[in-house]
Amino acid sequence: MNRQEKKELLLSAVSGLSEDNISDFVKYDDFLTQKPGYEPVIRPVLRVVGAAAICAVVLGSLFLGLKYIEYKSDIINSQTTEAAESTEEEKPEPVSEEEDYAHRFDWQYEYDFEYDSGSMPGDYMYNDAMVNGCTLLLKRNVHTGECTPVCTVPSCKHDSAECPFYGTTCVVGIGNIMYGSMKDEKLGKWVVYSYDPETDKKDIIAESAAKIYELISYKYYLYCKRVDTGFTRIDTKTGEFTKVRSQYDYSVSSIHSGMMIWSKDSSGSPVYVSTDLLGENARSYDPHIFNGKLHKVIENADGSSSYAQLDRSGKIEKIMAEDSCYAIPIGENMLSFGAYTDGETHWIDPDDHSKGRRLANGDIYITPLNGGESRLLCHIDGYEPRTAAIACANSKNVMICGDWIAIMTPQKISDNEPGNNNRMILLNMKTGEYHISRYTE
Amino acid sequence: MLLKDEEIIALFFDRDEKALTETARKFGGYLKAIAANMTDDKRDAEECVNDAYLAAWNSIPPKRPQSLKTYLTVLLRRCAIDVIKKNKRARRIPKKLFSPLDELADVIPGEDADSALDERLLTDIINSYVSSLSARQRYIFISRYYVNRSAAQTAKKLGVSKSTVDKELVQIRAGLKEKLLKEGYDL
């Protein structure tokens, strides 16, 4: 084999690298594109102090002959700077796949049901939704299902930068205040804003050169994820900004019980780790342990699935929901979705079987996680929940209001809704009352 | 505003041609930069990128990629290979795509016919080796030999000097050589 033949062989062989490897590369590439940090919008005095701090850093660094000033100089807040230096990704150990469940309790944390810490009091839920190609910020009355834009500007069409909420990509609540992120066309930057629905007052609290595409609230903390540098935590009481250490290849699935819960999809089954609230001290985590019991969806002999409570040895103690398609914890309860038992094959899309079998029959059960009995909460005809649909209300504290939760409904997206975050089911977890809520012009 | 991956994929599934414009808006710069690394000619680079868009259009659906950027990277590489094959037939062999492989050629078995590797086996070994690398080393390997970035470009991305990347590449190649030896191939 001559050299040219070797190179041709290598050309083909390297081209056959797996998508997993290429995916790792792409993620790392995105991860490395971290340059500027957040620029908090702070009072002039603090700005001067921040600028002085930068000068000190710059001068000191020049003195030492360092060449990497550019990377850090635009980070105003000193704490953000400190943390940014330690954002080297951490590769946590995944949860063991052993079928011996006992080990899982070695690192068990109790779920403390702080699920609604990010919800807002009152009668409304808020979310951004794609409607006719425009991202609108919507509010939904939980008692009626009525869905209207948050913008109160008379005759505003909400389809251009003239609308104060145009392009809002994510929204969460802390106390009475709503927080969102959007591209501010006038500033030419991405911003995080606060909005008080009572006074209709909107303020920018942070600016970013790169896109901010995720907000998560936990107590009075607001976690903002930039597309390049990952999460920064904003203390909404003090205005303090702190960089969060990234967990390479993992994304945050929820924040509760004083922990950030990170997950990555590993061949179809998510792997979880927990860290402290700044992304440090990563360790394995199992999100299915409640009140000291392991909860798990088990396969039945006939191919159906049930939701079961297991003891420490992995022995089934109790079937909590039979023939369950999906089961999700929301607060102190578990919602599960009943399956068809008529022996027929139900397709998600009758014309496209590649999308899989239709599994849920519209029954929604609720099971107290403290070991109480399951009961049928309601039946929503024609509703088949899917994993992505459920996530909306579940872990990120976005769409919860008192006893009400919101669940996305992916059905009928063929009616020209590019996203599926407009149509929602608002469900009362106590009474089973529900509304189908969607915005129509 | 750039659409999210899932929104672009939804457009592909709806057979809405806006999927292509949105893909180009979001990933065009990245793909053009990589294509430029892989080809000698600006027109070839444009052809690769356009072919990658077309391949995405033809394969989504049924394919529903988890990461659109990853999927487009893979498609682009395939399209670049096709362009190379076409150019080879026209005796216009691009040098850019082969030059990084010069470095790698030393680690694979020599003229001994008995130890010659077939393409599939070599792919498996390289895949397995790359998977075993640290995230950083994997990034450097793929950056150099898959998307054809120069050591200097990779160094800039990593915020280190070119010599650091060169040293790491030497280590990575040595590791691959060792892996091939373990698999029974004498060099």
Side-chain angles (χ1 to χ4, degrees):
Chain A
M1 192 188 292
N2 64 33
R3 196 164 187 83
Q4 183 59 28
E5 285 170 338
K6 277 185 188 178
K7 287 199 285 186
E8 287 183 15
L9 178 64
L10 278 164
L11 182 71
S12 302
V14 172
S15 298
L17 276 175
S18 70
E19 263 191 57
D20 281 348
N21 278 325
I22 306 305
S23 173
D24 282 351
F25 162 80
V26 166
K27 283 175 189 166
Y28 204 107
D29 202 48
D30 289 342
F31 184 78
L32 285 174
T33 317
Q34 53 175 306
K35 278 209 168 171
Y38 280 90
E39 185 182 346
V41 177
I42 52 178
R43 287 171 295 179
V45 173
L46 286 178
R47 191 180 285 278
V48 169
V49 171
I54 289 175
C55 287
V57 170
V58 170
L59 288 171
S61 301
L62 279 173
F63 180 73
L64 293 168
L66 294 176
K67 293 182 178 179
Y68 302 114
I69 297 298
E70 187 187 346
Y71 172 65
K72 289 149 189 159
S73 62
D74 57 346
I75 300 168
I76 288 183
N77 187 284
S78 60
Q79 281 188 304
T80 307
T81 306
E82 276 174 29
E85 286 169 351
S86 65
T87 51
E88 187 182 342
E89 77 278 6
E90 193 169 15
K91 210 162 188 181
E93 288 299 313
V95 173
S96 167
E97 292 299 320
E98 295 170 44
E99 277 303 297
D100 169 17
Y101 295 106
H103 72 279
R104 298 187 178 194
F105 294 88
D106 295 342
W107 33 261
Q108 176 198 344
Y109 292 92
E110 281 294 329
Y111 195 85
D112 69 359
F113 307 124
E114 289 173 320
Y115 70 100
D116 59 351
S117 63
S119 67
M120 293 176 67
D123 302 325
Y124 290 94
M125 293 176 177
Y126 298 83
N127 85 305
D128 61 294
M130 183 72 83
V131 180
N132 296 332
C134 286
T135 306
L136 299 186
L137 182 57
L138 301 173
K139 62 177 182 178
R140 299 164 199 269
N141 186 311
V142 296
H143 304 295
T144 64
E146 184 193 17
C147 183
T148 50
V150 171
C151 170
T152 54
V153 176
S155 71
C156 179
K157 292 185 177 173
H158 322 298
D159 60 355
S160 71
E162 298 302 311
C163 174
F165 299 101
Y166 178 71
T168 292
T169 53
C170 35
V171 54
V172 294
I174 296 179
N176 296 317
I177 306 298
M178 195 188 81
Y179 294 87
S181 72
M182 62 186 284
K183 175 86 181 280
D184 187 305
E185 298 296 341
K186 285 176 193 160
L187 293 172
K189 287 181 173 181
W190 284 84
V191 298
V192 179
Y193 65 82
S194 63
Y195 174 70
D196 185 339
E198 265 188 40
T199 60
D200 200 23
K201 188 167 181 287
K202 182 184 163 210
D203 290 311
I204 293 173
I205 63 165
E207 297 171 2
S208 160
K211 182 176 179 178
I212 299 161
Y213 70 102
E214 192 166 2
L215 292 182
I216 305 176
S217 58
Y218 175 66
K219 297 187 183 234
Y220 48 86
Y221 292 126
L222 182 65
Y223 286 78
C224 315
K225 186 171 187 183
R226 276 175 58 134
V227 71
D228 50 358
T229 53
F231 280 100
T232 290
R233 187 181 77 176
I234 301 175
D235 183 326
T236 59
K237 283 186 177 173
T238 65
E240 181 186 3
F241 283 54
T242 313
K243 190 83 181 71
V244 174
R245 185 187 182 100
S246 295
Q247 303 296 313
Y248 178 67
D249 214 15
Y250 282 71
S251 55
V252 173
S253 65
S254 65
I255 303 177
H256 67 75
S257 317
M259 296 181 289
M260 298 181 78
I261 308 301
W262 307 69
S263 69
K264 73 170 179 179
D265 194 88
S266 178
S267 307
S269 53
V271 176
Y272 296 88
V273 295
S274 72
T275 66
D276 64 20
L277 291 173
L278 289 175
E280 302 286 352
N281 303 315
R283 55 192 303 196
S284 297
Y285 178 77
D286 193 320
H288 308 296
I289 293 172
F290 302 96
N291 294 321
K293 302 290 182 185
L294 177 65
H295 292 198
K296 198 178 178 212
V297 176
I298 56 165
E299 290 275 326
N300 299 321
D302 63 358
S304 63
S305 302
S306 295
Y307 185 72
Q309 178 180 299
L310 287 68
D311 68 11
R312 286 170 182 248
S313 67
K315 187 180 163 193
I316 295 172
E317 281 189 341
K318 182 181 178 183
I319 299 293
M320 299 177 78
E322 286 188 36
D323 296 326
S324 168
C325 297
Y326 302 98
I328 51 164
I330 296 184
E332 298 171 357
N333 298 293
M334 182 69 65
L335 287 186
S336 55
F337 301 84
Y340 286 101
T341 54
D342 57 7
E344 299 292 320
T345 301
H346 297 270
W347 300 102
I348 289 170
D349 181 344
D351 298 325
D352 182 359
H353 293 186
S354 69
K355 291 182 180 170
R357 285 194 307 148
R358 174 185 286 176
L359 292 168
N361 62 9
D363 287 345
I364 299 183
Y365 294 86
I366 189 162
T367 309
L369 287 170
N370 62 9
E373 294 301 314
S374 295
R375 68 182 172 89
L376 180 65
L377 182 63
C378 63
H379 175 87
I380 303 177
D381 201 27
Y383 174 59
E384 301 98 25
R386 294 169 63 185
T387 313
I390 294 161
C392 180
N394 185 17
S395 54
K396 293 188 180 173
N397 305 330
V398 180
M399 295 288 287
I400 295 172
C401 181
D403 293 329
W404 293 84
I405 62 162
I407 306 176
M408 283 196 287
T409 60
Q411 279 72 35
K412 298 178 185 175
I413 55 173
S414 57
D415 59 357
N416 295 322
E417 289 176 14
N420 52 17
N421 49 359
N422 179 12
R423 184 191 296 268
M424 296 276 185
I425 289 176
L426 310 186
L427 173 65
N428 187 305
M429 291 207 298
K430 273 195 177 159
T431 64
E433 183 186 358
Y434 70 89
H435 311 287
I436 309 289
S437 170
R438 69 183 293 228
Y439 175 66
T440 50
E441 290 171 290
Chain B
M1 192 184 71
L2 298 177
L3 295 185
K4 294 174 186 169
D5 269 19
E6 53 266 38
E7 289 168 345
I8 296 175
I9 291 167
L11 290 172
F12 274 109
F13 268 77
D14 290 343
R15 310 313 289 159
D16 185 338
E17 288 182 14
K18 206 174 152 197
L20 295 175
T21 50
E22 292 299 329
T23 302
R25 275 183 65 211
K26 188 168 182 180
F27 301 111
Y30 165 79
L31 293 173
K32 280 177 193 165
I34 291 181
N37 287 338
M38 294 179 178
T39 56
D40 294 333
D41 187 302
K42 195 180 170 187
R43 283 169 306 173
D44 284 347
E46 282 173 9
E47 187 182 341
C48 287
V49 173
N50 288 332
D51 286 353
Y53 292 148
L54 184 63
W57 178 259
N58 288 334
S59 55
I60 309 173
K63 177 88 179 172
R64 188 184 284 275
Q66 283 192 335
S67 156
L68 195 51
K69 191 173 176 183
T70 300
Y71 189 56
L72 289 165
T73 306
V74 173
L75 291 178
L76 184 74
R77 172 83 186 185
R78 285 181 198 156
C79 293
I81 301 287
D82 288 343
V83 167
I84 286 159
K85 284 179 182 166
K86 195 173 76 179
N87 287 345
K88 197 178 167 190
R89 283 195 294 275
R91 300 195 178 282
R92 194 162 60 85
I93 299 171
K95 289 177 188 164
K96 264 191 181 173
L97 200 59
F98 282 104
S99 53
L101 299 175
D102 237 352
E103 303 162 8
L104 263 191
D106 289 333
V107 306
I108 66 166
E111 285 74 26
D112 180 358
D114 292 339
S115 63
L117 285 163
D118 70 35
E119 179 191 320
R120 194 186 180 93
L121 195 55
L122 185 59
T123 302
D124 287 347
I125 293 172
I126 291 178
N127 242 325
S128 153
Y129 176 66
V130 171
S131 302
S132 73
L133 294 173
S134 69
R136 178 189 169 95
Q137 287 181 319
R138 184 159 50 243
Y139 176 77
I140 291 173
F141 183 95
I142 294 175
S143 195
R144 181 73 185 125
Y145 302 118
Y146 192 92
V147 298
N148 280 50
R149 283 184 184 146
S150 66
Q153 285 174 315
T154 306
K156 194 176 174 188
K157 281 266 182 186
L158 287 166
V160 297
S161 67
K162 177 181 171 293
S163 64
T164 301
V165 171
D166 282 336
K167 278 178 204 161
E168 293 196 48
L169 279 168
V170 169
Q171 285 174 2
I172 292 166
R173 288 196 299 269
L176 179 57
K177 201 169 182 175
E178 195 179 326
K179 169 92 176 168
L180 284 162
L181 280 169
K182 275 186 188 164
E183 299 286 336
Y185 295 96
D186 293 328
L187 305 178

